[in-house]
Amino acid sequence: MIFHVLTLFPDMVRTALDSSVLGRAARKGLLQINAVNIRDFSGNIHNSVDDYTYGGGAGMLMQAQPVYDCCCSVQAGILERQKKPARVLYMSPQGRTFDQDMAKELALEEELILLCGHYEGIDARALTAVRAEEVSIGDFVLTGGELPAMVIIDAVSRMIPGVLGNQESADTDSFMNGLLEYPQYSRPAVWDGMEVPPVLLSGDHAKVDIWRFEQSLAITKERRPDLYEKFVRDNPGLMEERRKRIERERRIEERRRRKERQAENGKKEDNSNDHIADPSDDHTPH
């Protein structure tokens, strides 16, 4: 997959994405980061791409022409390879909120263009001309679109087969099944007086899976009730099976405790019988 990042600070993007998991994936040819400097399309000797806004107001605005020319240049190469234009994502707090579902959606694309604004943003006419889709990573404002672009690239890249050493890591991440992730533990089994939950040491994979699912449910219900309610609505069959399983386990546990009580009562009766006096053992003198 190829990510084209249109930015005023290409070195910032290259440096950040050339390390760790993404850097290794790029070297393996699983993905490519193409950081394009919008200033190269400024068309003036100073390479300036910004100007004052019409109507007044603080700050400068990125001009339409260099942004448009930069995007068209990148799209031309994509059209030659893919025979269709790539989606253009403009990093903006006004856009669609980026989430795991969108990450999975974008991972199906062959190439993506991520447009990074700066200053007061980009002339709205350029965004219209390149058919940009506005995308937000949260309800806050940053100095530029580079960090949001890198967040999106990181999240999308994890969905690409082979990028992670173990695909199961991606499959069990928070939000992949609509729930937050369960707690994780590593060696040693006891650290600072705190023990790893015994079920994780049991070797019973079925019980471990159930424990992890229950933990995910509990954490999601506590921290993100909106996600919990959506999961319950979207998975009625799973929740009904869970209810039946819990009821079966409750009955099994009740039977086990009943047998323990019966066994304990039986021992008490035996002990009490041991203390009943036998007339034949009466050694009272006559």
Side-chain angles (χ1 to χ4, degrees), residues 34-237:
N34 177 32
V36 184
N37 194 337
I38 298 174
R39 293 188 188 278
D40 293 342
F41 299 84
S42 65
N44 64 70
I45 193 172
H46 301 293
N47 288 333
S48 61
V49 296
D50 60 304
D51 208 332
Y52 295 103
T53 58
Y54 281 120
M60 306 290 279
L61 190 71
M62 290 176 64
Q63 296 170 294
Q65 194 64 51
V67 171
Y68 176 77
D69 289 344
C70 180
C71 192
C72 287
S73 175
V74 173
Q75 284 284 28
I78 296 172
L79 282 168
E80 188 174 335
R81 289 186 298 273
Q82 305 294 338
K83 310 306 178 187
K84 64 176 184 178
R87 292 172 66 174
V88 180
L89 308 180
Y90 173 52
M91 307 299 101
S92 165
Q94 301 176 35
R96 170 186 172 186
T97 301
F98 180 75
D99 57 16
Q100 194 66 26
D101 287 338
M102 191 174 186
K104 290 187 281 187
E105 172 192 321
L106 296 176
L108 301 176
E109 302 290 333
E110 294 291 333
E111 302 190 39
L112 284 172
I113 296 176
L114 294 94
L115 178 56
C116 304
H118 234 271
Y119 313 119
E120 294 301 309
I122 295 176
D123 189 309
R125 293 169 296 183
L127 301 177
T128 299
V130 302
R131 297 183 179 180
E133 305 173 40
E134 297 190 35
V135 181
S136 169
I137 64 167
D139 296 336
F140 47 87
V141 180
L142 299 171
T143 57
E146 287 76 19
L147 290 175
M150 288 187 280
V151 167
I152 291 174
I153 290 172
D154 189 290
V156 173
S157 295
R158 294 173 62 85
M159 304 295 102
I160 300 173
V163 169
L164 297 181
N166 182 356
Q167 187 57 35
E168 186 178 355
S169 296
D171 295 339
T172 58
D173 278 342
S174 292
F175 306 112
M176 279 303 295
N177 61 358
L179 297 173
L180 300 181
E181 192 177 18
Y182 47 80
Q184 298 271 28
Y185 300 87
S186 184
R187 297 178 182 178
V190 180
W191 177 80
D192 198 25
M194 294 179 283
E195 298 182 3
V196 172
V199 66
L200 299 180
L201 308 176
S202 69
D204 190 326
H205 296 296
K207 288 184 178 180
V208 169
D209 288 342
I210 291 173
W211 181 87
R212 286 174 169 172
F213 176 63
E214 294 296 337
Q215 290 292 310
S216 288
L217 273 180
I219 291 172
T220 305
K221 185 176 183 179
E222 176 188 353
R223 302 179 187 177
R224 290 291 302 275
D226 56 323
L227 292 179
Y228 176 82
E229 292 172 5
K230 183 178 186 301
F231 183 85
V232 171
R233 288 196 307 270
D234 294 346
N235 299 274

